[in-house]
Amino acid sequence: MDVQLWTWILVGISFTLYFGIAIWARASSTKDFYIAGGGVSPLANGMATAADWMSAASFISMAGLISFSGYDGSVYLMGWTGGYVLLALLLAPYLRKFGKFTVPDFIGDRYYSNSARTIAIICALIVSFTYVAGQMRGVGIVFSQFLQVDITKGVLIGMAVVLVFAFLGGMKGITYTQVAQYCVLIFAFMVPAIFISIQMTGNPFPQIGMGAKVEDGTFLLDKLDQLHTQLGFKEYTSGTKSTWDIFAITLALMAGTSGLPHVIVRFFTVPKVKDARKSAGYALLLIAILYTTAPAVAVFARTNLITTVNETAYKELPEWFKNWENTGLISWTDKNNDGKIQYRNSEAVNGKPLFTDKRGANGERIISNPSAAENELYVDKDIMVLANPEIAQLPNWVIGLVAAGGLAAALSTAAGLLLVISTSVSHDLVKKQLKPNISDKGELLIARISILVAIVVAGFFGIYPPGFVAAVVALAFGLAAASFFPAIVLGIFDKRMNRQGAVTGMIAGISLMLFYMIRFKTGLIGIMDPLPESEWWFGTSPEGFGVIAMLVNFILAIVISRLTPAPPENVQQIVEDIRIPSGAGEAQMH
C-alpha cells in the first residue's frame, strides 16, 4: 500500500476517535466547558496536560531545531522541561487552592481590580495568539504534505477540524480528546525513533542509541561531528551561542512556561489539590518520554539527511525528496551544473572562508578553494521529523503514523489555546466586567463566538507566519515570562504586593518585550527592518530577552508596591491561607 493510502487510513481512524470522544463528552454547563466539571482522574489529566504541552513545536519543530543547531538547540529541552517542574512545584497547587479558572481571573481577584484583570486578558490574548499561530502552521505543513495540497489549503482544513473539537466539547471534550491524542502522538514519535535507532546502532532505545557506535565502530556523534566539519558547519556537539544567552533563553522558556495560561487551567480540572500535584507528576513523566527522545531523533535525522543527499545525483534521489519538493519545504538549485546535490555551509568549508577578499574583473567574488562548492540545498527545519521515516526508508504505515501524530500534537494544543482565548473573552471580560448577570447559556454562546473569531485570526497567522514554528513559540514564552510570571509569583508569595505594583510591572514587562521583539526580530513591516545581532543589548537574543523584561517587571512591581498603600486586609488573609497545606479547608474567595 502506498504512503498516501496509509496516511488516509491512520489519520481517518484517529480522527474518528477524536470526534467520537468530542461528541460523547459534550459540555452541558459552563463548568464543563471551562474545567471539565472538575472531575478528571490524575492520570487522565496528566496525559491531557502532556498532550496540551507537547504542541506541534515539540513534535514537529523541536527535533528539527536541534538537528540544525546542535548543542544550541538544547535550550529548548532544558527550558521547556525545567519550566514544567517550576510550574508543578511553585504555582499549580497554590492556584488550584485559590480556586480560579483562568490566569486573568486570579490576577483580577488577587489584585482586587478590574484594570489588572483587563491587562492580564490582553497579555493572555497576545501570548495565546503568538503561540497558536505556530500550531496552525504546523497543521498546515502536515496536511499540505500528506494530502498533497499547498500550505494555505492545509491551514484551512486544520481550522475546520479544530473548530469542531473546541465548539462541541469545550474543556470536557478537549480533555478526553487530548488523552487519545497523547497516545497517538507518543506512539507516532517513538515507533520511527526505535526503528531508526535499531537500524543505525542496533540499540532499541533511541536515548542510548544516540551515544552508541555505528557499524564502522565510530561513535554516532563523532561521525556526525566529522560530517559537519567536512561541510563547513560548526561541530554538532559544540554550540555558537554565549553562555549568558543560553542561560537567558533557558530561563525565559522556563518562566514563560509556568506563566502559560492554557497549561495552568489544566490543574483546575481535577477534584483535589493533591490530585493537581499528582497529575503534574504524571505529566512530567509522560512528557519526558518525548523530550528525551527528541535529541536522538535530531541526530538520526541529521546524519541520514547528510549521508543520503550530499553528493548524490539528482536523478538517483529517493522518492521522498521529490514529494517534499512539491510542498516547497525542500529545494535544490544546481549552481555548478554537475547534476549532483552539494550540501554545504555556504559561509565556510574546511574551516577556510569560502571567498577571498579579492574581486574578479566584473566585481564577482573569487572562491578561495575551488574544490568547495556553494550550498545548493535548502531544507526547512520543520520537516525533519515528518520526513525522517521516509529518509530512513521505513515501512509506509510508519510514515502515515507520523502524519497522524503531528496532527494530534498540533490540534490538541491549538484546541487548548483557543479555549483560553474564548474564556478570556467570555468569562473574564464579559461575565466579570461587562455583563455580570449574564446567563450560563449566554456565556457559552459568547465563548463559542469568540472561538470562531480566534480560529480565523489564527489561520491568518498560520498562512502568513512570522518565521518557523518553534521560534515563534519561543517568543510567546518570552512574552509570558515578561508579563504573567512575576504577577503570579508575587501574588502567591508576597502579601504586601498590591494592585499598583502588579499593574505597572505587567505593563512595563510586556511593552519592553514587544518593543525588543519588533526591534530585533520581526521589524515593523514597511517602517523599519530588524536590527542585526551586533546591536543586541547585553548580547541577549530576542528569545532570551524575556528574562530582562521579567526582571524589570519584578523590580518595578516590588518598588512601587512598597511606595503605595498595602492591599486590603481580606486580600492579605487570602494570601496567608493559600500557603496552608490543603486539608485545613480550601481557601474561599468571598
Side-chain angles (χ1 to χ4, degrees):
M1 275 165 51
D2 72 336
V3 176
Q4 240 175 323
L5 194 58
W6 268 117
T7 307
W8 277 105
I9 293 172
L10 289 165
V11 171
I13 293 173
S14 56
F15 271 46
T16 319
L17 182 69
Y18 306 153
F19 281 130
I21 293 173
I23 292 166
W24 165 73
R26 268 203 314 268
S28 49
S29 70
T30 46
K31 196 173 175 206
D32 270 357
F33 193 82
Y34 293 147
I35 57 167
V40 179
S41 82
L43 182 62
N45 197 46
M47 288 170 101
T49 311
D52 215 338
W53 185 263
M54 293 189 287
S55 56
S58 297
F59 188 91
I60 300 175
S61 300
M62 192 173 64
L65 251 181
I66 298 173
S67 78
F68 276 79
S69 49
Y71 175 79
D72 287 343
S74 62
V75 292
Y76 295 100
L77 286 173
M78 298 187 294
W80 281 333
T81 35
Y84 193 81
V85 178
L86 199 65
L87 173 72
L89 298 178
L90 265 188
L91 304 178
Y94 300 109
L95 287 175
R96 172 72 187 77
K97 203 164 169 197
F98 201 88
K100 288 293 154 234
F101 288 169
T102 63
V103 177
D105 213 3
F106 168 78
I107 287 178
D109 283 358
R110 165 63 183 82
Y111 295 120
Y112 49 96
S113 105
N114 269 342
S115 54
R117 191 188 310 263
T118 311
I119 291 164
I121 293 172
I122 295 168
C123 294
L125 292 178
I126 295 177
V127 173
S128 303
F129 271 124
T130 319
Y131 201 172
V132 88
Q135 304 308 317
M136 282 307 194
R137 166 118 177 117
V139 176
I141 290 176
V142 181
F143 275 127
S144 75
Q145 163 60 6
F146 294 104
L147 307 181
Q148 297 291 324
V149 291
D150 63 25
I151 211 157
T152 312
K153 284 204 191 81
V155 174
L156 294 170
I157 301 171
M159 283 161 63
V161 177
V162 175
L163 195 64
V164 176
F165 287 149
F167 246 46
L168 276 177
M171 197 61 170
K172 194 169 170 196
I174 287 176
T175 299
Y176 291 107
T177 315
Q178 279 175 338
V179 172
Q181 283 168 330
Y182 174 77
C183 300
V184 172
L185 87 91
I186 207 73
F187 190 64
F189 198 82
M190 296 308 293
V191 169
I194 292 168
F195 262 118
I196 297 173
S197 185
I198 294 173
Q199 198 180 15
M200 289 175 82
T201 63
N203 193 317
F205 297 102
Q207 292 89 335
I208 304 171
M210 171 171 107
K213 293 182 173 171
V214 283
E215 282 167 7
D216 59 8
T218 51
F219 283 101
L220 178 58
L221 286 168
D222 291 343
K223 180 181 168 185
L224 185 54
D225 277 347
Q226 283 165 7
L227 285 170
H228 259 222
T229 37
Q230 284 163 11
L231 305 185
F233 292 98
K234 187 99 184 204
E235 279 190 352
Y236 186 82
T237 49
S238 60
T240 51
K241 289 183 178 0
S242 67
T243 314
W244 156 249
D245 203 29
I246 289 225
F247 173 76
I249 296 177
T250 307
L251 190 55
L253 291 172
M254 281 175 71
T257 296
S258 18
L260 267 190
H262 70 289
V263 180
I264 290 177
V265 174
R266 286 245 72 99
F267 291 105
F268 298 119
T269 55
V270 287
K272 297 194 291 294
V273 177
K274 193 172 116 195
D275 295 341
R277 284 185 194 269
K278 259 196 204 152
S279 59
Y282 281 128
L284 193 59
L285 281 175
L286 297 166
I287 290 168
I289 300 175
L290 187 137
Y291 272 69
T292 50
T293 313
V297 171
V299 172
F300 301 150
R302 184 77 181 158
T303 316
N304 273 336
L305 176 79
I306 295 178
T307 46
T308 353
V309 174
N310 189 33
E311 299 299 342
T312 309
Y314 183 70
K315 291 196 185 78
E316 293 161 18
L317 276 177
E319 190 191 346
W320 66 265
F321 192 90
K322 312 209 161 75
N323 287 345
W324 281 99
E325 256 189 324
N326 300 340
T327 59
L329 294 170
I330 191 168
S331 59
W332 171 66
T333 342
D334 196 358
K335 294 182 183 167
N336 54 3
N337 300 323
D338 62 353
K340 286 184 179 173
I341 294 181
Q342 272 85 29
Y343 183 42
R344 299 281 183 276
N345 179 359
S346 43
E347 305 301 311
V349 172
N350 299 338
K352 299 187 190 113
L354 194 56
F355 296 104
T356 55
D357 294 337
K358 302 190 184 74
R359 295 271 172 177
N362 307 326
E364 77 279 11
R365 298 165 76 186
I366 294 176
I367 293 185
S368 58
N369 46 347
S371 63
E374 276 191 75
N375 180 36
E376 305 180 333
L377 183 72
Y378 160 75
V379 187
D380 189 304
K381 299 178 177 136
D382 289 342
I383 71 169
M384 291 309 282
V385 171
L386 300 174
N388 202 7
E390 296 175 74
I391 300 176
Q393 298 168 329
L394 297 185
N396 285 342
W397 64 268
V398 179
I399 300 169
L401 184 67
V402 169
L407 288 175
L411 293 174
S412 61
T413 306
L417 283 164
L418 290 165
L419 206 72
V420 167
I421 293 175
S422 75
T423 355
S424 296
V425 176
S426 66
H427 184 80
D428 300 326
L429 195 68
V430 178
K431 174 122 179 132
K432 291 280 169 141
Q433 299 187 41
L434 306 177
K435 279 179 75 178
N437 47 13
I438 189 169
S439 68
D440 237 14
K441 263 214 162 111
E443 198 181 334
L444 273 180
L445 179 72
I446 290 179
R448 291 186 163 136
I449 292 171
S450 44
I451 283 190
L452 185 66
V453 177
I455 286 186
V456 174
V457 179
F460 173 78
F461 283 128
I463 295 169
Y464 304 105
F468 57 103
V469 182
V472 175
V473 170
L475 291 171
F477 283 88
L479 289 166
S483 56
F484 286 136
F485 186 67
I488 298 174
V489 171
L490 292 170
I492 295 171
F493 294 103
D494 175 16
K495 63 175 187 181
R496 182 67 183 71
M497 193 64 213
N498 62 9
R499 167 171 78 192
Q500 293 85 336
V503 172
T504 323
M506 279 199 298
I507 295 177
I510 200 154
S511 325
L512 190 58
M513 181 64 199
L514 277 172
F515 163 78
Y516 198 83
M517 191 170 119
I518 290 168
R519 197 93 179 82
F520 294 97
K521 185 80 182 181
T522 54
L524 276 175
I525 301 157
I527 305 171
M528 57 182 224
D529 290 327
L531 293 176
E533 262 182 58
S534 52
E535 301 277 322
W536 287 354
W537 302 356
F538 320 113
T540 317
S541 61
E543 289 81 6
F545 189 75
V547 169
I548 295 179
M550 175 178 89
L551 288 176
V552 170
N553 182 337
F554 266 120
I555 294 164
L556 266 178
I558 292 168
V559 170
I560 288 181
S561 70
R562 296 308 185 263
L563 300 174
T564 44
E569 272 304 307
N570 65 336
V571 173
Q572 295 196 36
Q573 193 49 49
I574 290 162
V575 180
E576 285 287 319
D577 292 343
I578 288 187
R579 291 204 294 268
I580 300 169
S582 62
E586 306 254 315
Q588 288 301 321
M589 288 298 296
H590 293 297

